[in-house]
Amino acid sequence: MMRLKLYGTDIPNAGSGETAATVGTLATPALLLDKDRLDRNLARLSSRMAARGVVLRPHMKTAKSIEVARRAYPSGSGPITVSTLAEAEYFAQYGLRDMTYAVGLAQHTAERAMRLRKVGIDLKMLLDSPEQATILGEAGRAAGVTPSAFIEIDCDGHRGGLTATDPRLFAVADALAEAGVKLAGILTHAGESYSLCTSEALVEAAENERAVAVAAAEKLREAGYECPIVSVGSTPTAHFAENLTGVTEMRAGVYMFFDLVMHGVGVCTTDDIAVSVLATVIGTKPEKGWILIDAGWMALSRDRGTAAQRADQGYGLACDLSGKLYPDLIVSQASQEHGILAIRSGSAEALPDLPIGTKVRILPNHACATASQHELYNVVAAGSDAIEAQWPRMRGW
Amino acid sequence: MMRLKLYGTDIPNAGSGETAATVGTLATPALLLDKDRLDRNLARLSSRMAARGVVLRPHMKTAKSIEVARRAYPSGSGPITVSTLAEAEYFAQYGLRDMTYAVGLAQHTAERAMRLRKVGIDLKMLLDSPEQATILGEAGRAAGVTPSAFIEIDCDGHRGGLTATDPRLFAVADALAEAGVKLAGILTHAGESYSLCTSEALVEAAENERAVAVAAAEKLREAGYECPIVSVGSTPTAHFAENLTGVTEMRAGVYMFFDLVMHGVGVCTTDDIAVSVLATVIGTKPEKGWILIDAGWMALSRDRGTAAQRADQGYGLACDLSGKLYPDLIVSQASQEHGILAIRSGSAEALPDLPIGTKVRILPNHACATASQHELYNVVAAGSDAIEAQWPRMRGW
């Protein structure tokens, strides 16, 4: 399943699948994954959910890698969440069967998803309108399978879904029954929690997410509908929820890697961030306080998620080869293949002396966006510079 | 050389290389390329440069596709510009030989580039320090080839390079001679032109780019150095330069596709934009003035280059399936796989009625960033909805 480059195969990390010896010998830019931090992050949330008797359904949109999924599930068939049907098809080939596609459906996705149900994959869909229920029912009939779908609930005005008090909730449930679609349950996502930064606000957002989801499920049950699953989740609320009464499953994705946005929200420390972009110094402009590196937005992504937070990290925070932070050294600007390192404005720190060829590691604003710019993870252990493996990522739709 | 997905191959545009019948049958999101607009954009700049006797060296960082390169060069060996050595290796396999790698070098790129020179590729490098000249000379000696490099000149404080009056210019030229590296010439890039929006300012930026480049070349020539090539370029200055006296070659990349940032700068109209992202309506929130589509930042990129321009286009401008703009309908918000269409604030336009399943086309802020999110181009002709071909893109470093 590795999607290999057919050129440059003699170049370490050119996607050849060959494993380079050390971080120091990798061609740059390159994506590094600290597997010990990954395992620690996975264990942190899974034990938190286990202690509350809530099923954890990790979202694979961040990692898009079977090797990462197998760190969470050394064996077994899930459960997982996916953000594209290409992810569902990819993970299905590795034996994962219990999946939720957490994006609203249209006709082409309904038909494509039913092909997976036809081969025994328990892929559950998401919708919030009677029209979508009808479309899904028709796709199921055409494929000769019984579809299963969640009704999306809007708990904080973030994106899609119906509010728990919206009378259309019953119209959708009726349309599902009429279309011959199994009601899997209700699903909500506290997307607005990403904009918070105090534990009080995060605890409140988590309780609101729970309360709205449970209220919607209760409404359906009181009206006689079966609503087995109450699915909530976002990385911030998953880590700050104090009470999950009535919730049956939790979804989260970026918690596996964490990033500077999650650090700004207050969910992790910079020492928890498992992914970084290895870059090389290719120029210096001391007169401007600049160090040029070969990681621009193509390697870091254009994500500026920390711009709205208390600490704007530019395009990322710079660390040395061992992962030790340089005080207040950020990627202040990025073009396609160039990044500019500079001291954060207002800081009294001095620009470090990094000669041409110096390797640095950049902690990303948004792990989902940064990882998606790369073909594979160069896997390292904490405190070691040996590349233990190269794990490919899938992409596309 | 096609880098095919190994799953989902029965899905139109899942990267299988199979050509879907029409735009209407493509799974979404998908990248569309209007080949007639591409050809018109290519012809516009090549005829402009031909009329001025200046060599056009197109930058392939935007398209990253041999099929697109072959629209510019139906045959022959270039010249082209590349932004990564993976691009150089990719294009070399298709017979392109005259290349400039327009990113500053370090040891690993010098060594990797010399492997291409060893097999007869005329790959010219870029540097702005004596240290880099020494590194390149050593790599050349180790590979048994004579390297060739440009000295980077800084014409507007945008990024790297030496100012034309910097005495280090001669130190670099001396270091190149001492290291046995051929001085290809000088190279500059008017990167600040992207922030302009009047023809007067663009004409001025182009003249400054020319004057600084020619002054640096003259200084070197007066001191007895050969400086054959005077290379300048950015898409805005390439289209607004009135006088190119002393310039021998022009570099530009995004002009092939154009985008909303270039539209905001004033280099193109929206009818010149050759790439768009096909998306499907997956939800509606009339009470909030929202239409949800299945193209989020994974399909559109996180680039918000129009945010600083007079017209902020959000994450892109919405068109119908035929490419006709919906008045003031923009992608106002984007998450990983969701986009929210809304009427631009301050506009009196009404939200169009787009039911679930409606297909729309989104014009991107930044073609380089948006195209890089996709594996292939679905090629269409102007005014036709037939997919004529699927052209793969290369990626990585």
Side-chain angles (χ1 to χ4, degrees), chain A residues 122-309:
Chain A
D122 178 19
L123 178 61
K124 293 167 276 292
M125 306 296 280
L126 182 64
L127 49 74
D128 65 1
S129 69
E131 297 86 331
Q132 288 167 304
T134 305
I135 289 167
L136 183 56
E138 285 166 1
R141 268 191 302 283
V145 297
T146 301
S148 175
F150 287 93
I151 299 176
E152 184 173 12
I153 300 299
D154 176 2
C155 67
D156 61 5
H158 179 66
R159 200 163 57 200
L162 302 171
T163 62
T165 57
D166 192 321
R168 288 175 294 180
L169 185 60
F170 302 109
V172 177
D174 290 339
L176 288 171
E178 195 172 318
V181 178
K182 181 179 183 304
L183 174 58
I186 66 91
L187 180 150
T188 195
H189 167 60
E192 290 301 301
S193 65
Y194 287 66
S195 63
L196 306 175
C197 60
T198 68
S199 57
E200 297 70 22
L202 289 163
V203 168
E204 196 178 306
E207 174 54 22
N208 173 70
E209 183 182 42
R210 181 202 72 82
V212 171
V214 171
E218 285 309 317
K219 271 202 163 51
L220 288 168
R221 290 164 181 157
E222 284 159 15
Y225 300 96
E226 268 192 39
C227 185
I229 304 179
V230 177
S231 180
V232 303
S234 77
T235 285
T237 54
H239 291 76
F240 279 82
E242 292 180 344
N243 169 25
L244 288 171
T245 308
V247 168
T248 68
E249 76 171 29
M250 178 67 69
R251 305 179 325 279
V254 75
Y255 78 99
M256 298 180 186
F257 295 163
F258 283 128
D259 54 30
L260 293 171
V261 166
M262 287 298 117
H263 170 258
V265 170
V267 191
C268 68
T269 69
T270 54
D271 290 340
D272 295 323
I273 299 175
V275 288
S276 60
V277 173
L278 185 71
T280 302
V281 172
I282 58 171
T284 56
K285 285 225 165 189
E287 67 277 18
K288 302 185 83 164
W290 287 357
I291 295 167
L292 273 62
I293 58 173
D294 63 356
W297 57 253
M298 188 66 82
L300 298 170
S301 94
R302 266 290 190 202
D303 197 287
R304 289 282 289 109
T306 57
Q309 296 185 322

Side-chain angles (χ1 to χ4, degrees), chain A residues 315-380:
Chain A
Y315 285 91
L317 266 180
C319 309
D320 67 16
L321 198 52
S322 75
K324 183 170 177 296
L325 283 168
Y326 289 109
D328 289 334
L329 188 65
I330 64 171
V331 181
S332 61
Q333 298 175 56
S335 43
Q336 188 161 338
E337 299 292 350
H338 295 79
I340 295 178
L341 296 180
I343 295 296
R344 183 195 307 282
S345 67
S347 166
E349 293 290 337
L351 193 70
D353 175 28
L354 304 181
I356 301 283
T358 306
K359 293 245 169 80
V360 296
R361 287 165 74 154
I362 309 299
L363 299 181
N365 281 329
H366 187 175
C368 309
T370 300
S372 76
Q373 301 298 103
H374 296 263
E375 292 189 80
L376 55 80
Y377 300 96
N378 293 281
V379 181
V380 296

Side-chain angles (χ1 to χ4, degrees), chain B residues 73-109:
Chain B
Y73 299 113
S75 66
S77 62
I80 62 170
T81 313
V82 296
S83 68
T84 69
L85 291 180
E87 283 173 49
E89 292 158 352
Y90 167 85
F91 286 109
Q93 295 194 22
Y94 293 100
L96 294 168
R97 304 167 72 83
D98 179 359
M99 306 188 200
T100 297
Y101 172 53
V103 177
L105 67 86
Q107 187 181 343
H108 71 94
T109 42

